Amino acid sequence: MDNKVVFKVAQILQALQIPALRFNFRGVGRSSGSYDEGRGEMDDVRYALDFLSHRYPGLPVILAGFSFGAYVGLRVGAVDGRVRALIGLGVPARSFDGDTLQGCTKPKLIIHGTRDEVAPYALTVRWFEQLPAPKTMIAVEGADHFFQGRLDEVQTIIASFVQTL
């Protein structure tokens, strides 16, 4: 929640008048519980969506996630009717199984650094090619996993995507 990528994504969404909720998964920071290899964390995303739905009834959701948060968030957002569009940054493609997101026809934006040392760019490209349309992948040339020095560019990419929805 406190990393710069998550902060900058929330910042640009709020600037676009889209409410943003940042939260820690179970067992992270001061959150209770413990890591559950994505299963329980999917519940965390659902609880966050419940909160947003009650706080902003009828407002469509753009679900954005970074790294492990992208892995969990994209899986939940692909099937949750409240979610209108998906954004994944630094997506750990190796974590997805073969059919994940295959039925998802929601707009998807994937932003990935070409020098991502955590989630290799080439694996993400191969995973992205299997996703159903509509989809967009933007490579941030030379960026690492945390988009060091490139977060303004990431914000511009997100703003352009959101304005097309």
Side-chain angles (χ1 to χ4, degrees):
M1 175 170 71
D2 293 324
N3 86 42
K4 291 179 185 180
V5 178
V6 173
F7 176 80
K8 289 294 199 172
V9 170
Q11 183 183 51
I12 190 61
L13 291 173
Q14 289 175 323
L16 295 167
Q17 305 301 310
I18 299 168
L21 173 65
R22 295 181 295 146
F23 66 93
N24 282 330
F25 287 115
R26 59 190 61 217
V28 176
R30 292 186 214 151
S31 297
S32 62
S34 58
Y35 175 69
D36 193 26
E37 299 178 6
R39 293 177 301 270
E41 291 81 2
M42 288 175 64
D43 287 337
D44 296 344
V45 173
R46 289 182 194 101
Y47 295 137
L49 289 170
D50 290 345
F51 173 82
L52 284 171
S53 295
H54 285 97
R55 182 91 183 245
Y56 304 99
L59 189 66
V61 174
I62 298 170
L63 197 151
F66 167 64
S67 197
F68 178 73
Y71 165 66
V72 175
L74 292 172
R75 292 171 64 205
V76 172
V79 297
D80 191 299
R82 298 170 289 193
V83 176
R84 176 179 177 192
L86 302 165
I87 301 172
L89 301 98
V91 178
R94 69 170 61 104
S95 299
F96 285 90
D97 49 7
D99 63 348
T100 302
L101 308 183
Q102 290 308 303
C104 179
T105 58
K106 298 173 185 179
K108 294 167 280 303
L109 171 64
I110 306 300
I111 305 171
H112 211 85
T114 60
R115 294 196 178 177
D116 189 322
E117 68 286 359
V118 175
Y121 176 72
L123 288 177
T124 302
V125 169
R126 284 195 296 275
W127 169 79
F128 176 79
E129 290 169 351
Q130 304 304 311
L131 292 180
K135 62 184 180 178
T136 302
M137 183 169 180
I138 305 288
V140 180
E141 194 63 42
D144 66 6
H145 188 63
F146 293 96
F147 301 95
Q148 297 279 356
R150 308 297 290 280
L151 289 170
D152 289 343
E153 185 178 342
V154 167
Q155 286 185 314
T156 300
I157 293 165
I158 291 171
S160 295
F161 174 73
V162 168
Q163 291 166 353
T164 67
L165 298 175

